[in-house]
Amino acid sequence: MKEIQAILRRVQTGPGPWVLATLVTVEGSSYRRTGARALIAANGDRLGSISGGCLEEDLLARAARVTASGKAELARYDTTSENDLVWGVGLGCHGIVRVLIEPLSAQAPWLAGAAAALEGGAPCAVQVVWESPGGGKLGTELASEQQVPSPNIRYLIQWFQAPTKLFVFGAGDDAQPLVRMAAELGWQVTVADPRAAYATPERFPEAQRWVVGRIEQLIAETRPSAGSTAVIMTHHYIHDLPLLHALLSRPLAYLGLLGPKKRAERMLEVVGSEGLAVTPEMRARLFAPVGLDLGAEGPDEVALSIIAEIRATLAARDARPLRERQGPIHDDRY
């Protein structure tokens, strides 16, 4: 998601002309999944990647041809050689990939449509036509349910999900690396705290919103939406308790609570005594103590464990080591 966000921003704000390379098919193994993109400027500057670096030099040469001709080009790369040195490096992927390289204008309709949808928090889909035997146009456009492509056309449909929304309740120093890491991933972060001197743009320049108010006002002001994520880390029981009470009943995808397990269980008992029936579904959404067991020490490592747990939860993964995974590393369901 961060890659397409960066590409959209670059095309909308920077001078062209541009060429867009999209990985449209993968047979066997590949460093990147289908839908990976690289934006290439006329001077050779590149944003994004298609591979681990082994294909990019050839893509630059092809991009120059596409810029000159104004016509899209389909490239096929075979890295199944036994010695794995086809491109002069040990790629280690052993697959066949196809990459569509197309000229891109800032006025392309799909760019504005995708940007508007993502900024509004809505998903959108694009269709990348990479083969059209009848001589039809190759390239990217917005997809719709009404579209029925010709059976002879080969294309990739890709959904762009809205950026992950993270609400951080508590603007202490240990929240700073959490916000910074989330923003680096392209997440939209809101920081909320009752202390006006803490939840500020100066302390959290990577956040999109800074909300200050009494604890009972913070939820109403931030309005965490269904499917978003939240972490409670005020370090004050009297603040954490009403926040937990208010957030438990919301259909969040993830709710983390900083602090020991016994403290969390005690808080759940109190919340129940206050009239909220804590259901198994609520408990399943609550991660307390927050974070994966990484042996984390210090705010940066704790933030890493929280970000990793949120990502695994959203992807419905169990965060086990990849060497223990029996299926493919990349599963396009997620």
Side-chain angles (χ1 to χ4, degrees):
M1 178 52 61
K2 180 183 176 182
E3 186 172 79
I4 190 61
Q5 288 175 305
I7 287 173
L8 291 172
R9 286 194 297 268
R10 181 69 61 85
V11 174
Q12 290 174 331
T13 59
W18 305 101
V19 168
L20 182 66
T22 305
L23 181 58
V24 292
T25 71
V26 173
E27 299 172 27
S29 181
S30 173
Y31 182 82
R32 300 286 315 267
R33 286 192 282 181
T34 55
R37 287 177 171 79
L39 181 70
I40 303 170
N43 63 1
D45 287 346
R46 175 170 52 85
L47 176 63
S49 66
I50 295 298
S51 71
C54 53
L55 306 181
E56 271 65 15
E57 185 174 348
D58 185 70
L59 283 175
L60 289 176
R62 292 176 182 267
R65 293 203 301 268
V66 168
T67 298
S69 69
K71 295 182 179 179
E73 177 180 320
L74 183 68
R76 180 180 182 273
Y77 300 101
D78 186 345
T79 62
T80 57
S81 171
E82 285 297 323
N83 64 14
D84 196 23
L85 295 174
V86 177
W87 301 102
V89 294
L91 181 61
C93 290
H94 297 285
I96 299 173
V97 301
R98 292 181 178 86
V99 179
L100 182 70
I101 308 155
E102 60 179 299
L104 183 64
S105 164
Q107 286 71 47
W110 75 268
L111 289 172
L118 296 179
E119 288 174 6
C124 69
V126 296
Q127 173 180 284
V128 185
V129 176
W130 56 269
E131 186 173 277
S132 183
K137 182 180 179 182
L138 305 181
T140 305
E141 60 185 7
L142 284 175
S144 69
E145 295 180 359
Q146 289 72 36
Q147 282 180 310
V148 183
S150 165
N152 296 323
I153 292 178
R154 304 183 75 178
Y155 58 92
L156 167 72
I157 294 286
Q158 184 183 20
W159 278 92
F160 298 140
Q161 300 297 327
T164 297
K165 293 183 179 180
L166 173 63
F167 296 85
V168 179
F169 293 93
D173 291 350
D174 58 345
Q176 291 175 316
L178 177 63
V179 172
R180 185 169 60 250
M181 290 182 191
E184 180 65 23
L185 293 174
W187 297 4
Q188 293 182 350
V189 187
T190 296
V191 179
D193 195 284
R195 299 165 294 183
Y198 280 67
T200 66
E202 291 73 25
R203 284 174 52 78
F204 296 92
E206 303 88 356
Q208 278 73 45
R209 292 180 64 202
W210 309 265
V211 178
V212 177
R214 296 192 304 272
I215 284 296
E216 60 270 21
Q217 294 176 316
L218 292 184
I219 302 298
E221 291 292 328
T222 54
R223 302 184 302 278
S225 54
S228 58
T229 66
V231 176
I232 302 172
M233 50 190 310
T234 72
H235 295 278
H236 294 285
Y237 182 90
I238 60 172
H239 292 161
D240 285 357
L241 184 62
L243 287 170
L244 179 64
H245 193 147
L247 290 168
L248 268 176
S249 58
R250 288 181 171 263
L252 302 175
Y254 174 98
L255 174 59
L257 175 63
L258 190 70
K261 190 171 186 177
K262 287 185 177 180
R263 178 177 184 267
E265 290 299 328
R266 173 57 182 158
M267 292 173 68
L268 287 172
E269 292 177 4
V270 174
V271 165
S273 69
E274 293 175 342
L276 178 64
V278 181
T279 67
E281 290 77 13
M282 293 178 187
R283 281 184 170 270
R285 291 196 296 269
L286 177 63
F287 292 80
V290 65
L292 296 179
D293 185 3
L294 304 181
E297 295 184 8
D300 289 344
E301 293 183 359
V302 171
L304 174 63
S305 76
I306 296 172
I307 290 291
E309 184 175 63
I310 294 174
R311 181 68 191 103
T313 302
L314 295 178
R317 296 293 184 95
D318 58 9
R320 73 175 66 186
L322 284 175
R323 68 180 181 180
E324 296 180 8
R325 185 172 175 80
Q326 300 302 314
I329 294 174
H330 292 145
D331 189 333
D332 286 334
R333 290 178 300 170
Y334 306 125

